[in-house]
């Protein structure tokens, strides 16, 4: 996700040096979500536990990662509705205009 999105976000001044740690959170959450989803898809939803069958622990990791991703994704305008709250303008030549107050509403 970082390699795919960060360059254009930097160009648009949505992602700055101040934001890199915060942007790392949804990147890591999405990676955890993908691993947990693969584990869930490759096994049963219910697995043997202490007193019988219990929900697969990967389901909790998957849900927690999804929640974290969506929370932080909203801060960076990673969904169409969230992008409306980002104040960034890009000129025809790909440059940016505006001031540093463009981060998030």
């Amino acid at each position: 996700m970082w390699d795919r999105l960060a360059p254009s976000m930097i160009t648009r001044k949505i992602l700055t040096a101040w934001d890199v740690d915060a942007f790392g959170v949804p990147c890591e959450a999405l990676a955890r979500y993908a691993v947990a989803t693969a584990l869930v898809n490759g096994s049963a939803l219910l697995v043997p536990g202490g007193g019988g069958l219990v929900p697969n622990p990967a389901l909790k990791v998957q849900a927690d990662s999804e929640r974290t991703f969506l929370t932080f994704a909203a801060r960076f305008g990673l969904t169409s509705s969230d992008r409306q709250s980002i104040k960034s303008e890009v000129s025809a030549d790909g440059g940016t205009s505006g001031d540093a107050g463009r981060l998030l509403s």
Side-chain angles (χ1 to χ4, degrees):
M1 181 171 122
W2 182 280
D3 292 338
R4 185 169 42 95
L5 298 178
S8 65
M9 293 173 70
I10 291 167
T11 299
R12 289 175 176 82
K13 297 188 186 278
I14 294 168
L15 182 62
T16 69
W18 294 341
D19 307 314
V20 294
D21 291 334
F23 188 64
V25 173
C27 294
E28 291 175 9
L30 188 60
R32 275 192 310 277
Y33 177 84
V35 170
T37 298
L39 289 171
V40 168
N41 290 341
S43 62
L45 295 177
L46 297 175
V47 297
L53 293 177
V54 297
N56 188 329
L59 290 168
K60 180 165 179 13
V61 174
Q62 185 186 42
D64 290 348
S65 298
E66 179 182 11
R67 195 169 16 264
T68 300
F69 173 80
L70 291 173
T71 298
F72 278 81
R75 296 178 185 179
F76 290 97
L78 298 181
T79 68
S80 58
S81 61
D82 295 325
R83 276 190 292 281
Q84 295 176 15
S85 69
I86 302 286
K87 296 183 177 102
S88 177
E89 298 176 15
V90 178
S91 64
D93 66 352
T96 59
S97 60
D99 60 51
R102 60 76 204 114
L103 287 175
L104 299 175
S105 300

